[in-house]
Amino acid sequence: AQKITQTQPGMFVQEKEAVTLDCTYDTSDPSYGLFWYKQPSSGEMIFLIYQGSYDQQNATEGRYSLNFQKARKSANLVISASQLGDSAMYFCAIGGYSTLTFGKGTMLLVSP
Amino acid sequence: DTGVSQNPRHKITKRGQNVTFRCDPISEHNRLYWYRQTLGQGPEFLTYFQNEAQLEKSRLLSDRFSAERPKGSFSTLEIQRTEQGDSAMYLCASSFRGGMLGNTIYFGEGSWLTVV
């Protein structure tokens, strides 16, 4: 079984600052993928970034980067230069061959 | 380029009625997934298809729930004899196996169900 833990129910950040959203995982699969999704109030789950378990380098996608520490089983999302439009729920997920297991999410609020 | 499309977006139904949701995946994607999300929780896996074959079903998918993907394109999720506990958002997603992001799953905007 796979499990994702997101310990921060909510985070506040000022516009233009960086923020880190925490994610730890547990799995017995030797190969897996770690994902972050953003869910605005409209409900759609928007894919942000992916990290494969065997990838040597941390993934980056624009202002998003994934701080992957395999030994610690953590996959934190770093958002640089926060924008007001970043306010949303953020979900970490782990995937194997067939599907994804999500955490409970972190609500991020970006203030002017 | 169209994404995953779901309809209806919102449905209010009386307890005991049947409801059906439709999902149209990204056209070249051969995998289709259904998830359920309740307030304050992350999405929970219900079932997935590869082409027209239903390959996995969660224990959450009781016998009142049935999903189909008859021609390997769109899918329907039917809930029979709805209960108040079925109130949730039902998310559809699709993916294309293979490539660097072989397991990346793209979601639709969801279908909200309220059972009164």
Side-chain angles (χ1 to χ4, degrees):
Chain A
Q2 297 176 323
K3 184 179 179 181
I4 291 286
T5 302
Q6 295 180 256
T7 58
Q8 304 156 315
M11 289 286 285
F12 295 90
V13 66
Q14 279 201 316
E15 200 176 8
K16 299 181 184 178
E17 292 186 347
V19 63
T20 298
L21 305 184
D22 294 341
C23 172
T24 58
Y25 63 91
D26 193 20
T27 182
S28 56
D29 293 339
S31 179
Y32 50 90
L34 294 155
F35 301 78
W36 278 91
Y37 286 83
K38 172 184 177 182
Q39 188 176 44
S41 56
S42 61
E44 182 182 5
M45 296 286 285
I46 301 168
F47 167 73
L48 295 178
I49 196 167
Y50 163 87
Q51 176 86 41
S53 58
Y54 286 104
D55 293 341
Q56 296 295 319
Q57 291 190 325
N58 287 342
T60 60
E61 289 286 347
R63 295 186 298 111
Y64 304 108
S65 61
L66 199 153
N67 184 2
F68 180 47
Q69 298 187 47
K70 195 171 183 178
R72 295 185 176 185
K73 294 190 175 181
S74 73
N76 298 339
L77 177 70
V78 180
I79 306 174
S80 63
S82 298
Q83 301 172 354
L84 295 178
D86 293 335
S87 293
M89 282 291 289
Y90 287 81
F91 290 95
C92 180
I94 185 168
Y97 176 74
S98 61
T99 188
L100 296 176
T101 300
F102 287 85
K104 290 190 175 184
T106 296
M107 171 65 77
L108 177 65
L109 291 177
V110 181
S111 61
Chain B
D1 179 29
T2 58
V4 178
S5 176
Q6 294 187 243
N7 65 82
R9 294 291 318 282
H10 299 88
K11 179 74 176 177
I12 300 174
T13 190
K14 291 184 178 180
R15 189 176 55 182
Q17 298 293 306
N18 299 344
V19 297
T20 300
F21 299 110
R22 175 179 170 128
C23 171
D24 289 90
I26 294 170
S27 59
E28 64 269 25
H29 285 183
N30 56 7
R31 285 196 176 182
L32 186 148
Y33 308 80
W34 285 99
Y35 283 78
R36 182 175 72 185
Q37 186 178 19
T38 53
L39 286 175
Q41 302 294 321
E44 296 173 293
F45 169 73
L46 292 179
T47 187
Y48 91 95
F49 295 82
Q50 181 150 317
N51 301 312
E52 66 275 9
Q54 189 173 18
L55 296 188
E56 189 173 339
K57 292 194 290 186
S58 162
R59 287 176 295 176
L60 292 175
L61 210 66
S62 75
D63 56 6
R64 296 184 298 105
F65 288 69
S66 62
E68 294 183 343
R69 194 183 183 197
K71 297 183 180 179
S73 56
F74 73 92
S75 175
T76 57
L77 176 68
E78 181 184 18
I79 309 173
Q80 296 181 325
R81 305 181 303 280
T82 52
E83 301 173 356
Q84 287 187 324
D86 297 331
S87 295
M89 181 164 67
Y90 291 85
L91 286 159
C92 179
S94 69
S95 71
F96 179 67
R97 281 292 287 166
M100 186 171 62
L101 296 180
N103 202 26
T104 298
I105 299 175
Y106 296 91
F107 285 81
E109 291 182 318
S111 292
W112 289 93
L113 172 65
T114 302
V115 181
V116 298

